[in-house]
């Protein structure tokens, strides 16, 4: 006989939890729907990148690159390729920074605005429609880039931001308007609009836990039997 009062308590708790977590659950559902509308490759702007065929190094190419004797930075990789008709050796260090050297061993200066525009024009569909180009240092990058490295932000007419590394000479990221919408929605989904990276914090865990409890109570209440009341005619 104690089953009915217990079910009544479950029903009352379920209603209160529904009021408490209803908005977060609706927000998770809506933001999840928005995030799956387009393929992740399109969100990342991969469809805007042109297929660039790397040129083979000439057979008689001679490369002379030497690091300064006082340099102690550990090297991650060394790669040599032809970029816009010039042989370039790129040294990437373990801390993520990199340097470019010409075939004669001379260090190349950071990428200029003209070079950044050329790289975007060659590597991005619609990259010739440049609205502006702004250089950012590693400690002051735009929020939609969020990587500690110096870059050129090349803004296109359709709202796309293409980021070209001033040291790497490469397109580091493509941020379309949809990417920025996706990023904002992702921040709502994980309840972190400040950094949009923290997927494990007390508020999110609390509401997720309450949502699970509310769902379990709902499942239990599905098995509640209600006796139909038979009305006796007067």
């Amino acid at each position: 006989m104690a089953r009915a009062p217990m079910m009544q308590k479950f029903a009352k708790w379920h209603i209160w939890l529904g009021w408490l977590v209803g908005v977060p659950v609706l927000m998770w559902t809506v933001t999840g729907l928005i995030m799956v509308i387009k393929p992740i490759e399109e969100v990342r702007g991969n469809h805007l990148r042109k297929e660039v065929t790397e040129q083979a190094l000439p057979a008689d190419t001679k490369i002379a690159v030497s690091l300064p004797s006082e340099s102690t930075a550990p090297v991650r990789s060394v790669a040599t390729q032809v970029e816009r008709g010039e042989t370039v050796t790129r040294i990437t260090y373990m801390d993520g920074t990199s340097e470019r050297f010409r075939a004669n061993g001379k260090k190349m200066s950071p990428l200029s605005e003209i070079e950044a525009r050329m790289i975007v024009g060659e590597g991005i569909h619609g990259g010739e429609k440049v609205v502006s180009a702004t250089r950012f240092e590693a400690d002051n990058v735009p929020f939609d880039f969020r990587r500690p490295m110096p870059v050129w932000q090349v803004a296109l007419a359709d709202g796309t931001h293409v980021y070209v590394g001033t040291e790497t000479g490469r397109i580091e990221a493509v941020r379309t308007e949809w990417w920025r919408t996706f990023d904002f929605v992702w921040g709502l989904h994980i309840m972190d609009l400040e950094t949009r990276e923290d997927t494990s914090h007390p508020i999110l865990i609390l509401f997720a836990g309450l949502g699970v409890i509310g769902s379990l109570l709902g499942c239990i209440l599905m098995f509640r039997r209600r006796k139909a009341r038979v009305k006796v005619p007067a």
Side-chain angles (χ1 to χ4, degrees), residues 16-41:
W16 281 108
L17 282 175
W19 281 106
L20 183 62
V21 302
V23 173
V25 169
L26 178 61
M27 181 186 68
W28 290 332
T29 304
V30 173
T31 54
L33 174 61
I34 294 174
M35 287 190 292
V36 299
I37 287 177
K38 293 186 178 182
I40 191 63
E41 292 78 15

PDB file of all heavy atoms in Angstrom, residues 16-41:
ATOM      1  N   TRP A  16       8.843  19.350  -9.880  1.00  0.00           N
ATOM      2  CA  TRP A  16       9.781  20.395  -9.439  1.00  0.00           C
ATOM      3  C   TRP A  16      11.088  20.355 -10.224  1.00  0.00           C
ATOM      4  O   TRP A  16      11.632  21.406 -10.608  1.00  0.00           O
ATOM      5  CB  TRP A  16      10.050  20.251  -7.927  1.00  0.00           C
ATOM      6  CG  TRP A  16       8.948  20.804  -7.089  1.00  0.00           C
ATOM      7  CD1 TRP A  16       8.032  20.108  -6.343  1.00  0.00           C
ATOM      8  CD2 TRP A  16       8.616  22.188  -6.917  1.00  0.00           C
ATOM      9  NE1 TRP A  16       7.155  20.949  -5.724  1.00  0.00           N
ATOM     10  CE2 TRP A  16       7.492  22.239  -6.050  1.00  0.00           C
ATOM     11  CE3 TRP A  16       9.153  23.372  -7.402  1.00  0.00           C
ATOM     12  CZ2 TRP A  16       6.899  23.440  -5.675  1.00  0.00           C
ATOM     13  CZ3 TRP A  16       8.555  24.573  -7.022  1.00  0.00           C
ATOM     14  CH2 TRP A  16       7.451  24.602  -6.177  1.00  0.00           C
ATOM     15  N   LEU A  17      11.597  19.151 -10.460  1.00  0.00           N
ATOM     16  CA  LEU A  17      12.818  19.033 -11.257  1.00  0.00           C
ATOM     17  C   LEU A  17      12.580  19.499 -12.691  1.00  0.00           C
ATOM     18  O   LEU A  17      13.459  20.081 -13.322  1.00  0.00           O
ATOM     19  CB  LEU A  17      13.320  17.590 -11.245  1.00  0.00           C
ATOM     20  CG  LEU A  17      14.061  17.139  -9.992  1.00  0.00           C
ATOM     21  CD1 LEU A  17      14.391  15.653 -10.074  1.00  0.00           C
ATOM     22  CD2 LEU A  17      15.340  17.941  -9.800  1.00  0.00           C
ATOM     23  N   GLY A  18      11.360  19.239 -13.198  1.00  0.00           N
ATOM     24  CA  GLY A  18      11.029  19.699 -14.544  1.00  0.00           C
ATOM     25  C   GLY A  18      11.093  21.207 -14.648  1.00  0.00           C
ATOM     26  O   GLY A  18      11.609  21.757 -15.639  1.00  0.00           O
ATOM     27  N   TRP A  19      10.570  21.899 -13.644  1.00  0.00           N
ATOM     28  CA  TRP A  19      10.655  23.361 -13.638  1.00  0.00           C
ATOM     29  C   TRP A  19      12.107  23.834 -13.517  1.00  0.00           C
ATOM     30  O   TRP A  19      12.499  24.846 -14.103  1.00  0.00           O
ATOM     31  CB  TRP A  19       9.841  23.924 -12.476  1.00  0.00           C
ATOM     32  CG  TRP A  19       8.366  23.966 -12.727  1.00  0.00           C
ATOM     33  CD1 TRP A  19       7.403  23.145 -12.201  1.00  0.00           C
ATOM     34  CD2 TRP A  19       7.681  24.875 -13.599  1.00  0.00           C
ATOM     35  NE1 TRP A  19       6.161  23.473 -12.680  1.00  0.00           N
ATOM     36  CE2 TRP A  19       6.296  24.546 -13.542  1.00  0.00           C
ATOM     37  CE3 TRP A  19       8.083  25.926 -14.413  1.00  0.00           C
ATOM     38  CZ2 TRP A  19       5.321  25.225 -14.259  1.00  0.00           C
ATOM     39  CZ3 TRP A  19       7.117  26.617 -15.138  1.00  0.00           C
ATOM     40  CH2 TRP A  19       5.760  26.268 -15.063  1.00  0.00           C
ATOM     41  N   LEU A  20      12.901  23.088 -12.738  1.00  0.00           N
ATOM     42  CA  LEU A  20      14.280  23.517 -12.475  1.00  0.00           C
ATOM     43  C   LEU A  20      15.200  23.301 -13.668  1.00  0.00           C
ATOM     44  O   LEU A  20      16.004  24.172 -14.022  1.00  0.00           O
ATOM     45  CB  LEU A  20      14.822  22.766 -11.247  1.00  0.00           C
ATOM     46  CG  LEU A  20      16.231  23.149 -10.782  1.00  0.00           C
ATOM     47  CD1 LEU A  20      16.266  24.624 -10.368  1.00  0.00           C
ATOM     48  CD2 LEU A  20      16.652  22.272  -9.610  1.00  0.00           C
ATOM     49  N   VAL A  21      15.094  22.148 -14.309  1.00  0.00           N
ATOM     50  CA  VAL A  21      16.030  21.808 -15.401  1.00  0.00           C
ATOM     51  C   VAL A  21      15.385  21.892 -16.780  1.00  0.00           C
ATOM     52  O   VAL A  21      16.033  21.585 -17.779  1.00  0.00           O
ATOM     53  CB  VAL A  21      16.630  20.392 -15.198  1.00  0.00           C
ATOM     54  CG1 VAL A  21      17.338  20.298 -13.872  1.00  0.00           C
ATOM     55  CG2 VAL A  21      15.552  19.322 -15.319  1.00  0.00           C
ATOM     56  N   GLY A  22      14.126  22.323 -16.829  1.00  0.00           N
ATOM     57  CA  GLY A  22      13.446  22.389 -18.123  1.00  0.00           C
ATOM     58  C   GLY A  22      14.139  23.315 -19.111  1.00  0.00           C
ATOM     59  O   GLY A  22      14.326  22.966 -20.284  1.00  0.00           O
ATOM     60  N   VAL A  23      14.541  24.496 -18.639  1.00  0.00           N
ATOM     61  CA  VAL A  23      15.204  25.462 -19.532  1.00  0.00           C
ATOM     62  C   VAL A  23      16.563  24.946 -20.011  1.00  0.00           C
ATOM     63  O   VAL A  23      16.851  24.981 -21.217  1.00  0.00           O
ATOM     64  CB  VAL A  23      15.354  26.830 -18.839  1.00  0.00           C
ATOM     65  CG1 VAL A  23      16.188  27.782 -19.692  1.00  0.00           C
ATOM     66  CG2 VAL A  23      13.979  27.441 -18.584  1.00  0.00           C
ATOM     67  N   PRO A  24      17.433  24.440 -19.118  1.00  0.00           N
ATOM     68  CA  PRO A  24      18.702  23.878 -19.606  1.00  0.00           C
ATOM     69  C   PRO A  24      18.524  22.721 -20.581  1.00  0.00           C
ATOM     70  O   PRO A  24      19.238  22.632 -21.586  1.00  0.00           O
ATOM     71  CB  PRO A  24      19.402  23.415 -18.323  1.00  0.00           C
ATOM     72  CG  PRO A  24      18.828  24.257 -17.255  1.00  0.00           C
ATOM     73  CD  PRO A  24      17.397  24.469 -17.642  1.00  0.00           C
ATOM     74  N   VAL A  25      17.566  21.838 -20.298  1.00  0.00           N
ATOM     75  CA  VAL A  25      17.345  20.699 -21.201  1.00  0.00           C
ATOM     76  C   VAL A  25      16.897  21.187 -22.574  1.00  0.00           C
ATOM     77  O   VAL A  25      17.351  20.688 -23.616  1.00  0.00           O
ATOM     78  CB  VAL A  25      16.320  19.723 -20.597  1.00  0.00           C
ATOM     79  CG1 VAL A  25      15.882  18.694 -21.629  1.00  0.00           C
ATOM     80  CG2 VAL A  25      16.902  19.019 -19.382  1.00  0.00           C
ATOM     81  N   LEU A  26      15.972  22.169 -22.590  1.00  0.00           N
ATOM     82  CA  LEU A  26      15.530  22.734 -23.868  1.00  0.00           C
ATOM     83  C   LEU A  26      16.699  23.394 -24.592  1.00  0.00           C
ATOM     84  O   LEU A  26      16.850  23.244 -25.816  1.00  0.00           O
ATOM     85  CB  LEU A  26      14.410  23.748 -23.621  1.00  0.00           C
ATOM     86  CG  LEU A  26      13.876  24.475 -24.866  1.00  0.00           C
ATOM     87  CD1 LEU A  26      13.286  23.464 -25.848  1.00  0.00           C
ATOM     88  CD2 LEU A  26      12.844  25.521 -24.468  1.00  0.00           C
ATOM     89  N   MET A  27      17.555  24.106 -23.830  1.00  0.00           N
ATOM     90  CA  MET A  27      18.709  24.765 -24.427  1.00  0.00           C
ATOM     91  C   MET A  27      19.679  23.737 -25.015  1.00  0.00           C
ATOM     92  O   MET A  27      20.180  23.921 -26.137  1.00  0.00           O
ATOM     93  CB  MET A  27      19.432  25.616 -23.381  1.00  0.00           C
ATOM     94  CG  MET A  27      20.652  26.364 -23.911  1.00  0.00           C
ATOM     95  SD  MET A  27      21.551  27.212 -22.607  1.00  0.00           S
ATOM     96  CE  MET A  27      22.209  25.819 -21.672  1.00  0.00           C
ATOM     97  N   TRP A  28      19.929  22.643 -24.297  1.00  0.00           N
ATOM     98  CA  TRP A  28      20.820  21.592 -24.811  1.00  0.00           C
ATOM     99  C   TRP A  28      20.269  20.991 -26.094  1.00  0.00           C
ATOM    100  O   TRP A  28      21.004  20.705 -27.036  1.00  0.00           O
ATOM    101  CB  TRP A  28      21.009  20.505 -23.759  1.00  0.00           C
ATOM    102  CG  TRP A  28      21.824  20.930 -22.578  1.00  0.00           C
ATOM    103  CD1 TRP A  28      22.800  21.883 -22.565  1.00  0.00           C
ATOM    104  CD2 TRP A  28      21.732  20.437 -21.235  1.00  0.00           C
ATOM    105  NE1 TRP A  28      23.318  22.030 -21.311  1.00  0.00           N
ATOM    106  CE2 TRP A  28      22.687  21.154 -20.464  1.00  0.00           C
ATOM    107  CE3 TRP A  28      20.934  19.486 -20.609  1.00  0.00           C
ATOM    108  CZ2 TRP A  28      22.865  20.919 -19.107  1.00  0.00           C
ATOM    109  CZ3 TRP A  28      21.122  19.247 -19.249  1.00  0.00           C
ATOM    110  CH2 TRP A  28      22.074  19.963 -18.510  1.00  0.00           C
ATOM    111  N   THR A  29      18.953  20.802 -26.124  1.00  0.00           N
ATOM    112  CA  THR A  29      18.345  20.195 -27.315  1.00  0.00           C
ATOM    113  C   THR A  29      18.440  21.126 -28.517  1.00  0.00           C
ATOM    114  O   THR A  29      18.818  20.712 -29.619  1.00  0.00           O
ATOM    115  CB  THR A  29      16.871  19.859 -27.044  1.00  0.00           C
ATOM    116  OG1 THR A  29      16.782  19.008 -25.887  1.00  0.00           O
ATOM    117  CG2 THR A  29      16.259  19.137 -28.233  1.00  0.00           C
ATOM    118  N   VAL A  30      18.104  22.407 -28.304  1.00  0.00           N
ATOM    119  CA  VAL A  30      18.128  23.380 -29.408  1.00  0.00           C
ATOM    120  C   VAL A  30      19.546  23.602 -29.911  1.00  0.00           C
ATOM    121  O   VAL A  30      19.807  23.605 -31.121  1.00  0.00           O
ATOM    122  CB  VAL A  30      17.494  24.711 -28.965  1.00  0.00           C
ATOM    123  CG1 VAL A  30      17.668  25.778 -30.044  1.00  0.00           C
ATOM    124  CG2 VAL A  30      16.016  24.526 -28.663  1.00  0.00           C
ATOM    125  N   THR A  31      20.494  23.788 -28.985  1.00  0.00           N
ATOM    126  CA  THR A  31      21.880  24.026 -29.404  1.00  0.00           C
ATOM    127  C   THR A  31      22.463  22.787 -30.088  1.00  0.00           C
ATOM    128  O   THR A  31      23.219  22.898 -31.049  1.00  0.00           O
ATOM    129  CB  THR A  31      22.760  24.410 -28.194  1.00  0.00           C
ATOM    130  OG1 THR A  31      22.633  23.410 -27.162  1.00  0.00           O
ATOM    131  CG2 THR A  31      22.347  25.762 -27.641  1.00  0.00           C
ATOM    132  N   GLY A  32      22.089  21.608 -29.594  1.00  0.00           N
ATOM    133  CA  GLY A  32      22.544  20.383 -30.253  1.00  0.00           C
ATOM    134  C   GLY A  32      22.020  20.290 -31.674  1.00  0.00           C
ATOM    135  O   GLY A  32      22.748  19.880 -32.586  1.00  0.00           O
ATOM    136  N   LEU A  33      20.765  20.676 -31.864  1.00  0.00           N
ATOM    137  CA  LEU A  33      20.175  20.652 -33.207  1.00  0.00           C
ATOM    138  C   LEU A  33      20.904  21.610 -34.134  1.00  0.00           C
ATOM    139  O   LEU A  33      21.221  21.268 -35.282  1.00  0.00           O
ATOM    140  CB  LEU A  33      18.692  21.022 -33.124  1.00  0.00           C
ATOM    141  CG  LEU A  33      17.957  21.184 -34.457  1.00  0.00           C
ATOM    142  CD1 LEU A  33      17.976  19.875 -35.236  1.00  0.00           C
ATOM    143  CD2 LEU A  33      16.528  21.654 -34.222  1.00  0.00           C
ATOM    144  N   ILE A  34      21.181  22.813 -33.641  1.00  0.00           N
ATOM    145  CA  ILE A  34      21.879  23.813 -34.473  1.00  0.00           C
ATOM    146  C   ILE A  34      23.265  23.321 -34.862  1.00  0.00           C
ATOM    147  O   ILE A  34      23.707  23.493 -36.000  1.00  0.00           O
ATOM    148  CB  ILE A  34      21.977  25.160 -33.733  1.00  0.00           C
ATOM    149  CG1 ILE A  34      20.574  25.754 -33.542  1.00  0.00           C
ATOM    150  CG2 ILE A  34      22.872  26.142 -34.498  1.00  0.00           C
ATOM    151  CD1 ILE A  34      20.554  27.015 -32.706  1.00  0.00           C
ATOM    152  N   MET A  35      23.954  22.652 -33.933  1.00  0.00           N
ATOM    153  CA  MET A  35      25.322  22.227 -34.198  1.00  0.00           C
ATOM    154  C   MET A  35      25.419  21.086 -35.208  1.00  0.00           C
ATOM    155  O   MET A  35      26.483  20.869 -35.788  1.00  0.00           O
ATOM    156  CB  MET A  35      26.014  21.819 -32.884  1.00  0.00           C
ATOM    157  CG  MET A  35      26.359  23.003 -31.992  1.00  0.00           C
ATOM    158  SD  MET A  35      27.427  22.555 -30.593  1.00  0.00           S
ATOM    159  CE  MET A  35      26.319  21.543 -29.618  1.00  0.00           C
ATOM    160  N   VAL A  36      24.329  20.362 -35.408  1.00  0.00           N
ATOM    161  CA  VAL A  36      24.389  19.243 -36.356  1.00  0.00           C
ATOM    162  C   VAL A  36      23.728  19.576 -37.691  1.00  0.00           C
ATOM    163  O   VAL A  36      23.634  18.713 -38.562  1.00  0.00           O
ATOM    164  CB  VAL A  36      23.740  17.971 -35.761  1.00  0.00           C
ATOM    165  CG1 VAL A  36      24.473  17.542 -34.513  1.00  0.00           C
ATOM    166  CG2 VAL A  36      22.259  18.187 -35.474  1.00  0.00           C
ATOM    167  N   ILE A  37      23.277  20.818 -37.862  1.00  0.00           N
ATOM    168  CA  ILE A  37      22.629  21.202 -39.119  1.00  0.00           C
ATOM    169  C   ILE A  37      23.587  21.063 -40.302  1.00  0.00           C
ATOM    170  O   ILE A  37      23.227  20.574 -41.368  1.00  0.00           O
ATOM    171  CB  ILE A  37      22.088  22.642 -39.028  1.00  0.00           C
ATOM    172  CG1 ILE A  37      20.851  22.682 -38.120  1.00  0.00           C
ATOM    173  CG2 ILE A  37      21.729  23.181 -40.417  1.00  0.00           C
ATOM    174  CD1 ILE A  37      20.290  24.065 -37.911  1.00  0.00           C
ATOM    175  N   LYS A  38      24.848  21.499 -40.089  1.00  0.00           N
ATOM    176  CA  LYS A  38      25.833  21.427 -41.160  1.00  0.00           C
ATOM    177  C   LYS A  38      26.967  20.480 -40.765  1.00  0.00           C
ATOM    178  O   LYS A  38      27.302  20.370 -39.576  1.00  0.00           O
ATOM    179  CB  LYS A  38      26.400  22.810 -41.468  1.00  0.00           C
ATOM    180  CG  LYS A  38      25.376  23.769 -42.062  1.00  0.00           C
ATOM    181  CD  LYS A  38      26.031  25.074 -42.485  1.00  0.00           C
ATOM    182  CE  LYS A  38      25.015  26.017 -43.118  1.00  0.00           C
ATOM    183  NZ  LYS A  38      25.648  27.280 -43.586  1.00  0.00           N
ATOM    184  N   PRO A  39      27.581  19.812 -41.735  1.00  0.00           N
ATOM    185  CA  PRO A  39      28.722  18.929 -41.434  1.00  0.00           C
ATOM    186  C   PRO A  39      29.861  19.723 -40.801  1.00  0.00           C
ATOM    187  O   PRO A  39      30.065  20.897 -41.110  1.00  0.00           O
ATOM    188  CB  PRO A  39      29.121  18.387 -42.817  1.00  0.00           C
ATOM    189  CG  PRO A  39      27.917  18.581 -43.676  1.00  0.00           C
ATOM    190  CD  PRO A  39      27.233  19.811 -43.175  1.00  0.00           C
ATOM    191  N   ILE A  40      30.605  19.074 -39.913  1.00  0.00           N
ATOM    192  CA  ILE A  40      31.687  19.756 -39.209  1.00  0.00           C
ATOM    193  C   ILE A  40      32.761  20.253 -40.162  1.00  0.00           C
ATOM    194  O   ILE A  40      33.410  21.272 -39.909  1.00  0.00           O
ATOM    195  CB  ILE A  40      32.302  18.808 -38.135  1.00  0.00           C
ATOM    196  CG1 ILE A  40      33.238  19.589 -37.210  1.00  0.00           C
ATOM    197  CG2 ILE A  40      32.999  17.634 -38.800  1.00  0.00           C
ATOM    198  CD1 ILE A  40      32.572  20.668 -36.415  1.00  0.00           C
ATOM    199  N   GLU A  41      32.943  19.572 -41.312  1.00  0.00           N
ATOM    200  CA  GLU A  41      33.933  20.016 -42.290  1.00  0.00           C
ATOM    201  C   GLU A  41      33.544  21.377 -42.862  1.00  0.00           C
ATOM    202  O   GLU A  41      34.407  22.233 -43.110  1.00  0.00           O
ATOM    203  CB  GLU A  41      34.061  19.007 -43.430  1.00  0.00           C
ATOM    204  CG  GLU A  41      34.678  17.665 -43.027  1.00  0.00           C
ATOM    205  CD  GLU A  41      33.697  16.765 -42.317  1.00  0.00           C
ATOM    206  OE1 GLU A  41      32.474  17.048 -42.374  1.00  0.00           O
ATOM    207  OE2 GLU A  41      34.163  15.780 -41.707  1.00  0.00           O
TER     208      GLU A  41
END
